[in-house]
Amino acid sequence: MTLKGRTAVITGGASGIGAAIARLFAAEGARIVVGDISSAAESVVQSLVDADRPALYLPTDVTSESSVAELMDVAEEKFGRLDVLVANAGVPEEKTPIHELDLVAWQRVIDIDLTGVAISNKYAARKMLAVGGGSIINMASILGHVGQANSTAYSAAKAAVVNFTRSTALTYAQDNLRVNCVSPGYVNTPLIENLPAETRGRIIERMPIGRLLEPEEIADVVLFLASDASSSITGAAINADGGYTAI
């Protein structure tokens, strides 16, 4: 198993991509710590425990330094070390043109989708440096690479995550601490499932592969970056988007 003996913290693991990552990492031998503000993450962790996989859930607000610090401390105390962070917690936004921007809504997205990633990296890096390295994978988006009408805070945050990842990777390039990000395209998650059928149809029409991606497909990419198979890769932004950004 590619992650046997390693401890992985996954933020935003209650559903969708985060839950798929938790399940795959556990199947590959990792000890799993899920941090999420939603108690729905408890059922994800319980399913792992029921399958005799070492896992725990801790309520976590990624915008709070004390909450994130506790998450990393608990992972270390429970499993002895921290090897992998997947900074996946994030929220969408209500799309609006910039002349109608609601600064409260803007700040919420920036706080969770960008600052939350930075805080998570901060406290994970401290633990990883203490044990000689590790792998951090930040969750960006295709909207960190291409524009979309009326996307303000989300696009800004995800583009910032991409360059934050590059800079952080360079900071720790000689410390055996790799930092990469994944930019998913449109994924078949509850958020997409709840859209009107007409909207879903338009999204699928724009996908070169002719379908939505599945959470498990994104999890496969994240697993690669977490494992030794990607030992030469740091500072990368991998577009797992079915060809969307190649148009």
Side-chain angles (χ1 to χ4, degrees):
M1 293 186 286
T2 58
L3 298 181
K4 186 176 182 180
R6 300 185 189 181
T7 302
V9 167
I10 302 162
T11 66
S15 64
I17 293 171
I21 293 168
R23 289 190 291 266
L24 180 59
F25 277 22
E28 291 295 329
R31 300 168 297 214
I32 305 300
V33 181
V34 174
D36 200 303
I37 202 166
S38 170
S39 60
E42 288 186 82
S43 63
V44 174
V45 167
Q46 188 59 51
S47 69
L48 300 179
V49 172
D50 291 344
D52 293 323
R53 307 293 189 187
L56 62 89
Y57 161 67
L58 190 72
T60 305
D61 176 1
V62 296
T63 69
S64 164
E65 286 206 64
S66 61
S67 183
V68 173
E70 181 185 11
L71 174 66
M72 306 305 169
D73 285 344
V74 167
E76 181 182 54
E77 291 165 6
K78 176 69 175 179
F79 297 123
R81 57 187 290 134
L82 176 60
D83 303 283
V84 179
L85 166 69
V86 183
N88 174 69
V91 293
E93 69 176 330
E94 289 290 332
K95 291 183 172 56
T96 182
I98 192 65
H99 70 276
E100 297 177 359
L101 179 65
D102 179 340
L103 282 178
V104 172
W106 161 278
Q107 195 62 54
R108 176 175 180 268
V109 174
I110 296 298
D111 286 347
I112 297 172
D113 291 8
L114 175 56
T115 307
V117 169
I119 294 172
S120 299
N121 279 230
K122 173 182 178 178
Y123 288 97
R126 290 182 176 183
K127 301 296 186 186
M128 292 177 185
L129 290 170
V131 297
S135 178
I136 293 175
I137 302 99
N138 297 320
M139 199 59 64
S141 166
I142 53 173
L143 295 186
H145 304 271
V146 299
Q148 184 178 88
N150 300 319
S151 179
T152 53
Y154 187 83
S155 291
K158 294 302 185 179
V161 166
V162 172
N163 222 34
F164 167 85
T165 296
R166 293 185 182 120
S167 296
T168 306
L170 292 175
T171 300
Y172 300 113
Q174 296 185 23
D175 296 305
N176 195 35
L177 174 48
R178 299 185 297 110
V179 188
N180 295 288
C181 67
V182 176
S183 297
Y186 288 101
V187 181
N188 191 22
T189 63
L191 180 66
I192 298 293
E193 290 172 359
N194 292 331
L195 292 174
E198 182 180 349
T199 303
R200 282 171 52 89
R202 287 198 300 268
I203 290 172
I204 293 171
E205 285 176 2
R206 297 180 65 184
M207 293 288 287
I209 61 174
R211 63 173 176 83
L212 296 173
L213 301 165
E214 295 298 328
E216 292 74 16
E217 293 178 292
I218 308 303
D220 285 337
V221 178
V222 176
L223 173 64
F224 169 67
L225 292 174
S227 75
D228 291 339
S230 62
S231 60
S232 67
I233 301 177
T234 193
I238 298 180
N239 295 342
D241 62 1
Y244 187 96
T245 54
I247 298 174

